[in-house]
Amino acid sequence: MRIGFGFGEDNSVSAAQLTAAPAPGASLDPLLEAFAIKKLRFRNRIVSTSHASMLDDGGLPLERYQRYHEEKARGGLAMTMIGGSAMTSPDSSWGGGQLDLSSDRIIPHLAQLSARIHGHGAAVMCQVSHLGRRATSYGWNWLPVLAPSRVRETRNRNFPKEMDEADIARIIRDYADAALRCMEGGLDGVETVTGGHLIGQFLSPLTNKRRDRFGGSPENRARFGLMVHEAIRKRVGDDAVVGIRFVIDEGVADGSGFEDCLQLARIFEREGHIDYFNCIYGRMDTDLALAEDNMPGLFQRSAPYLDKVAQFRRETKLPLIHAGGIRDIATARHTIREGIVDLIGMTRAHIADPHIVNKLIRGDEERIRPCVGASYCLYKKVNCIHNPASGRETVLGHEVKPASRRLKAIVVGGGPAGLEAARVCAERGHSVILFEAAPRLGGQLLVATAAAERRDLIGIVDWRIGELERLGVDIRTNCYVEADAVHAEEPDLVIVATGGVPDTDWLEGAELCDTVWDVLTGTVPGKDDVLVYDGTGRQAAASCVLHLAQQGKTVSIATPDDALAVEMSYIDKSGFRKRFAELGIRSFTEVRLEKVERRGNALQASFRHELTGAQSRIEASQIVIEHGTLPAAEIYHALRALSANDGVTDTAFMVGDAEAEAPPAGSFLLHRIGDAVSSRDIYSSIYEAYRLCSKL
């Protein structure tokens, strides 16, 4: 049993840090060692930290909320935390999507949830918090926003009232009441949060300008948080686990640097009301701060804050949790083995695959569906870009059910939709042949991963290739198959997932232009002066712009949208916009490209303003266009007349529960999916493939 952590001169630990008896297999994998805080035993070291899943129903954790967390418990993790930014008070709402802990109505639903989680051997805790200035005055209860000082948050945009002593006393009671409701609901503990939330607003000199007993010195700035935790402890008792999600460095001038945060942490340790620190870094008051600090995304490396957490470990005594960008098992294992933390948060990784721990235990580590860092879970509820079941547990299973009959299935196209269709059909027990015209599987994802910041998306392809090989799918690359060849295979089922090709038909003068695909794949070199037109607001054009700028090209971007990157998560759009600004990339918004003409040695693009109709022109050496894709569906149309269903995929069938009937003898069912239908995104293609093929 490892007790020393290898940091500093004093390796002694408190009783709370002692690990319990190792779980089976723990001697081989530090991630599978048990751990205990007080009387709460964690069966391993992997947890999912609190986050706003947006799956609540009017602030209550009903069936879909419960099933989402239950799936992770079923998958073997040690603890799941619920209630990201859960409301302690009626004036702590950002407008919806939070658990409402401000009244007793939530208790029976917490009891149902905790019973489910405990039934699978996992622990469950809840984050309890007041948002302070992060709340809104324009939704939910329409109450004034409160904060330590009248400092407006850029992201949530409300002007707060400076809290008086009555506000402070009331909110402290609210914290304690909310914590008690969690314990009455059968939870194992609660966690507060500093960061940009109310306790953190008191702690930070950026947001606390007070001159009374709650402002100024570290001791005064800590006073509100200490009073909150004292009230919570009195209400829930000594046996309950109470933690704090604690900023260890705001990472900005005039804020709380590491030494200030460390002094604050020691004050909380000394007072003795908390049992662990959940270490976070940076601020969360702008989209960019969230993207680069709290929730590292597309432009950040994996696990960017471990060095800072290790430094914090050397200077503190309480057990630590950390969950900043820990996407893969190797990094998690290193973090535990080196004693940097005691429990490792793999929150987004569990959205990608809630069964991580069970796969580890079974020796199936290579089968863990990887988190590829796409941040789609921060764009559409908790939907993972390549696990459509996450957040949809009430309608989709994470494990594919076997079919009642075995079919011969042919999938045409090896992009994300085709790969998923082949995987699901094979999991159902069907015999599957996958045809792909290109020498490599991956389709448009191979184009996307040519951009440096999106290279990790290849995990979507690699994981599925591994699954197809395990399932014995007959993969035929370099094989441009036609309708006669498909029919000759005598299939029962044909899935056309041939994707699309760049849409240029809409533009007069398109033959003078290149496409984003051309540039990213290197088929066409970038010239010195390039104009990129983005007709989608997705990542493709923005990635192309960075790709060219990083080669030293002068690049401009134009879009008919009212801002750049409108179809991206705030994580991605803030990152792209920052880099555009750093590289001096000019942008033109609300202009629609209508025509491209040659003018001497240059090209001239003609635009019409979306609001005024005014015309404008821009000249460049090269014009690159992105306008989605046109379906490449020739084989689908050729097969329709031969199919039993005329290639029609019934909408009611797609969204319903019934399985498809077997095709008549000598015929086959025909469906098309993904961009072979219309230009959409990766998630849409994979979701469509999963829910269709799981019924066939």
Side-chain angles (χ1 to χ4, degrees):
M1 180 182 296
R2 182 172 180 171
I3 298 179
F5 298 107
F7 295 121
E9 296 180 359
D10 182 6
N11 288 334
S12 62
V13 294
S14 66
Q17 290 172 290
L18 294 176
T19 57
S27 60
L28 301 177
D29 192 337
L31 290 173
L32 299 181
E33 292 178 356
F35 186 75
I37 299 178
K38 289 187 170 177
K39 297 179 180 180
L40 179 58
R41 182 182 183 275
F42 302 93
R43 57 184 172 181
N44 54 65
R45 302 300 185 95
I46 299 177
V47 302
S48 173
T49 54
S50 58
H51 53 287
S53 68
M54 311 300 286
L55 296 176
D56 67 291
D57 290 276
L60 298 177
L62 304 186
E63 185 68 11
R64 61 179 182 164
Y65 194 103
Q66 294 184 28
R67 290 278 293 278
Y68 165 68
H69 283 281
E70 183 184 14
E71 194 67 37
K72 291 184 281 189
R74 181 183 288 114
L77 89 176
M79 174 177 66
T80 186
M81 287 191 183
I82 66 171
S85 305
M87 296 166 51
T88 59
S89 310
D91 51 6
S92 180
S93 172
W94 57 41
Q98 304 157 262
L99 292 189
D100 181 7
L101 298 172
S102 67
S103 74
D104 289 348
R105 71 185 184 121
I106 199 171
I107 295 173
H109 305 292
L110 292 177
Q112 290 174 352
L113 187 151
S114 60
R116 280 178 152 170
I117 302 302
H118 292 151
H120 296 288
V124 57
M125 293 178 61
C126 183
Q127 183 182 98
V128 297
S129 186
H130 195 292
L131 290 172
R133 70 176 189 152
R134 301 204 76 218
T136 181
S137 299
Y138 306 112
W140 199 258
N141 291 314
W142 289 72
L143 293 170
V145 169
L146 304 177
S149 303
R150 291 183 292 105
V151 181
R152 179 178 183 258
E153 183 185 277
T154 303
R155 187 167 194 267
N156 282 47
R157 305 182 62 79
N158 286 262
F159 289 92
K161 169 200 173 187
E162 183 172 304
M163 295 168 64
D164 58 26
E165 292 271 359
D167 296 322
I168 290 171
R170 187 260 300 173
I171 290 176
I172 289 172
R173 289 195 303 272
D174 289 347
Y175 265 101
D177 290 344
L180 181 60
R181 291 183 184 108
C182 290
M183 303 311 296
E184 290 177 338
L187 274 63
D188 298 294
V190 296
E191 175 184 274
T192 62
V193 58
T194 63
H197 293 222
L198 185 57
I199 294 175
Q201 291 162 30
F202 272 95
L203 294 179
S204 174
L206 287 172
T207 47
N208 186 346
K209 309 296 184 182
R210 302 174 73 100
R211 297 185 178 180
D212 61 3
R213 64 186 182 128
F214 293 98
S217 68
E219 289 78 8
N220 280 357
R221 286 183 278 124
R223 190 182 307 276
F224 174 76
L226 293 174
M227 293 170 71
V228 166
H229 287 91
E230 181 181 17
I232 288 174
R233 182 59 72 191
K234 286 180 178 178
R235 194 67 57 89
V236 302
D238 292 335
D239 290 340
V241 173
V242 178
I244 184 170
R245 194 167 185 170
F246 189 81
V247 172
I248 61 174
D249 190 340
E250 284 196 299
V252 62
D254 302 325
S256 290
F258 180 78
E259 291 301 324
D260 188 53
C261 290
L262 185 59
Q263 185 176 356
L264 292 166
R266 286 170 174 160
I267 292 171
F268 279 97
E269 281 190 326
R270 183 186 67 216
E271 291 297 312
H273 297 308
I274 62 171
D275 301 309
Y276 70 84
F277 290 110
N278 182 351
C279 300
I280 56 176
Y281 179 90
R283 299 173 299 128
M284 57 178 71
D285 53 356
T286 66
D287 284 352
L288 185 65
L290 274 171
E292 294 192 340
D293 293 349
N294 271 214
M295 303 176 192
L298 197 67
F299 294 95
Q300 280 66 50
R301 61 186 174 88
S302 176
Y305 314 123
L306 284 186
D307 290 344
K308 187 69 72 172
V309 174
Q311 186 180 355
F312 187 79
R313 161 68 98 188
R314 290 191 288 267
E315 303 292 340
T316 53
K317 299 177 182 179
L318 289 174
L320 300 188
I321 302 174
H322 178 58
I326 312 295
R327 302 178 192 164
D328 62 279
I329 288 298
T331 302
R333 186 176 287 122
H334 162 79
T335 306
I336 295 296
R337 179 181 287 126
E338 296 303 313
I340 298 173
V341 299
D342 302 292
L343 297 170
I344 192 71
M346 301 189 73
T347 308
R348 281 181 278 181
H350 271 84
I351 299 174
D353 191 339
H355 298 163
I356 288 173
V357 175
N358 281 350
K359 289 178 180 178
L360 279 179
I361 292 171
R362 293 198 304 262
D364 287 337
E365 183 174 337
E366 74 285 352
R367 292 198 58 210
I368 294 172
R369 189 191 309 245
C371 174
V372 296
S375 298
Y376 201 88
C377 51
L378 301 173
Y379 178 48
K380 299 286 188 182
K381 295 187 178 179
V382 290
N383 299 151
C384 171
I385 194 169
H386 74 130
N387 184 353
S390 281
R392 300 182 185 275
E393 284 77 12
T394 58
V395 293
L396 292 178
H398 283 268
E399 296 174 340
V400 177
K401 295 180 180 179
S404 58
R405 62 195 182 281
R406 192 169 192 264
L407 304 177
K408 182 175 183 180
I410 289 181
V411 178
V412 185
L419 290 170
E420 181 71 351
R423 182 189 76 85
V424 175
C425 285
E427 288 276 17
R428 295 270 287 163
H430 302 322
S431 171
V432 183
I433 302 172
L434 172 62
F435 290 105
E436 167 55 46
R440 291 179 60 196
L441 296 171
Q444 291 181 50
L445 272 172
L446 299 182
V447 180
T449 56
E453 68 278 357
R454 304 189 76 202
R455 60 184 177 272
D456 287 348
L457 292 178
I458 199 63
I460 297 172
V461 176
D462 291 344
W463 181 76
R464 283 172 173 76
I465 291 174
E467 290 294 286
L468 296 187
E469 291 173 348
R470 179 185 64 84
L471 292 164
V473 171
D474 182 356
I475 300 173
R476 304 180 188 180
T477 54
N478 276 319
C479 190
Y480 184 88
V481 67
E482 295 186 345
D484 289 345
V486 170
H487 194 229
E489 292 284 348
E490 298 183 348
D492 302 300
L493 172 64
V494 178
I495 306 293
V496 173
T498 42
V501 295
D503 179 10
T504 61
D505 287 358
W506 55 279
L507 179 63
E508 182 181 348
E511 70 279 359
L512 301 174
C513 303
D514 299 310
T515 71
V516 163
W517 291 24
D518 295 329
V519 174
L520 286 177
T521 59
T523 305
V524 173
K527 296 185 179 180
D528 290 336
D529 177 23
V530 188
L531 170 66
V532 177
Y533 179 71
D534 181 9
T536 69
R538 303 173 191 167
Q539 286 88 347
S543 292
C544 183
V545 169
L546 287 188
H547 181 75
L548 290 164
Q550 289 160 359
Q551 294 176 1
K553 313 301 182 184
T554 300
V555 192
S556 300
I557 182 171
T559 177
D561 296 325
D562 61 358
L564 298 175
V566 294
E567 286 194 30
M568 301 186 204
S569 70
Y570 64 82
I571 295 284
D572 291 356
K573 71 175 62 175
S574 60
F576 275 113
R577 290 172 180 171
K578 175 183 177 180
R579 280 146 189 84
F580 285 5
E582 289 173 337
L583 293 167
I585 294 166
R586 291 189 305 162
S587 62
F588 305 91
T589 59
E590 297 183 321
V591 290
R592 184 171 298 278
L593 180 60
E594 293 188 329
K595 183 169 62 174
V596 175
E597 303 170 279
R598 188 172 295 283
R599 287 287 185 267
N601 293 327
L603 297 176
Q604 179 179 272
S606 297
F607 293 93
R608 186 177 298 277
H609 196 275
E610 289 286 87
L611 303 182
T612 68
Q615 292 184 313
S616 60
R617 295 173 179 84
I618 301 174
E619 287 195 356
S621 300
Q622 183 180 26
I623 296 176
V624 179
I625 56 177
E626 165 61 18
H627 199 261
T629 58
L630 290 172
E634 293 83 0
I635 191 171
Y636 166 77
H637 292 295
L639 287 167
R640 286 192 68 171
L642 302 173
S643 68
N645 62 331
D646 191 32
V648 174
T649 304
D650 183 68
T651 302
F653 168 70
M654 280 289 284
V655 301
D657 298 327
E659 292 195 2
E661 296 181 2
S667 187
F668 60 89
L669 298 175
L670 173 66
H671 300 276
R672 63 170 169 162
I673 56 176
D675 281 10
V677 179
S678 64
S679 180
R680 287 169 287 172
D681 62 8
I682 297 168
Y683 177 82
S684 299
S685 296
I686 292 175
Y687 177 32
E688 190 167 66
Y690 186 92
R691 70 173 173 178
L692 171 66
C693 295
S694 63
K695 302 173 185 178
L696 297 174

